[in-house]
Amino acid sequence: MQNEPMSLQIRLAEPSEYDEVGDLTVTGYLADDLLPPDSPYVSDLRAAKRRAEEAELWVAVDGGGILGTVTFCPPDSSYRELASDGDGEFRMLTVHPDARGRGIGAALVRRCLDRAREFGQSRVVISSAEQMRTAHRIYDRFGFERLPELDWKPAPDVQLLAFALELEPPETSVSGR
Ligand SMILES: CC(C)(COP(=O)(O)OP(=O)(O)OC[C@H]1O[C@@H](n2cnc3c(N)ncnc32)[C@H](O)[C@@H]1OP(=O)(O)O)[C@@H](O)C(=O)NCCC(=O)NCCS
């Protein structure tokens, strides 16, 4: 994986940034022809404000602005699709086409894994489309494995693949004398 830029910061999006994050998410998916511009999913990708309200909207920023985003779905989030009790889930990972290949996608995934651990979750599950090969390489590097029993179709013509990562249990601190 590439080294992320030194000045990169991963933080929750500010309300004033929601429109920009929505636009970035759409731009990132359309740049890779991951879906047709008239797909009904485009409006979901643009709905960053809703993601901030019903989940956690994270952004990657450096001095130059917002470069990437991911949505982490806490236990009570309406954005959870695959997660069962004890699972974390994230969605809509996107990096601006001009900022790719610098480790920003990996940094956003790492933040989601950290959030899952903070929620005490023991596994992270995600859905992804077959053609999202770059994302799959990142997931593979983190140790995600395919979980075909959770593959599903949100629409008759859309097949999603499931991946899961078992998280290490937190280290138990042994109090010494
Ligand atoms: C998937 C995505 C978020 C990755 O973002 P990223 O910041 O480029 O990710 P990273 O830099 O951490 O890793 C990208 C990989 O591509 C390689 N890469 C190198 N140059 C690249 C470039 N110009 N563009 C894209 N990838 C490049 C990186 O080396 C790395 O490969 P490696 O892990 O084998 O070293 C981004 O491609 C994207 O937004 N795709 C469209 C949306 C999408 O598919 N989302 C996934 C939803 S499940």
Side-chain angles (χ1 to χ4, degrees):
M1 258 177 253
Q2 308 290 296
N3 288 330
E4 65 202 53
M6 292 292 286
S7 59
L8 190 74
Q9 187 191 2
I10 310 288
R11 59 160 171 78
L12 289 169
E14 306 280 350
S16 61
E17 297 169 330
Y18 294 163
D19 287 349
E20 186 180 349
V21 176
D23 289 346
L24 165 65
T25 314
V26 173
T27 299
Y29 273 65
L30 294 185
D32 279 14
D33 289 329
L34 295 176
L35 72 176
D38 60 352
S39 162
Y41 195 54
V42 168
S43 60
D44 290 342
L45 292 171
R46 204 178 290 287
K49 178 170 184 281
R50 187 178 154 221
R51 296 206 288 284
E53 290 168 353
E54 299 182 22
E56 292 181 357
L57 185 67
W58 290 89
V59 287
V61 292
D62 72 1
I66 300 173
L67 302 178
T69 180
V70 70
T71 297
F72 180 79
C73 315
D76 59 351
S77 174
S78 61
Y79 275 91
R80 285 157 71 89
E81 290 179 324
L82 292 187
S84 304
D85 283 354
D87 291 339
E89 182 167 355
F90 63 86
R91 297 184 53 191
M92 300 177 188
L93 170 70
T94 322
V95 170
H96 191 281
D98 295 342
R100 290 184 186 169
R102 293 159 49 186
I104 297 171
L108 288 162
V109 170
R110 196 173 298 114
R111 175 55 52 93
C112 291
L113 303 185
D114 289 345
R115 288 301 285 146
R117 288 189 189 94
E118 286 162 13
F119 279 104
Q121 293 161 333
S122 57
R123 188 174 76 154
V124 174
V125 288
I126 47 175
S127 301
S128 182
E130 175 89 50
Q131 63 271 31
M132 295 174 170
R133 303 275 181 201
T134 308
H136 299 178
R137 276 217 310 282
I138 296 173
Y139 303 152
D140 187 54
R141 293 278 177 98
F142 277 101
F144 279 86
E145 293 184 350
R146 283 275 291 115
L147 195 61
E149 59 267 37
L150 289 189
D151 288 357
W152 65 295
K153 286 179 170 232
D157 56 343
V158 181
Q159 176 68 60
L160 294 183
L161 310 178
F163 295 79
L165 174 67
E166 301 288 337
L167 297 175
E168 298 286 326
E171 283 183 24
T172 49
S173 61
V174 180
S175 59
R177 292 180 179 233

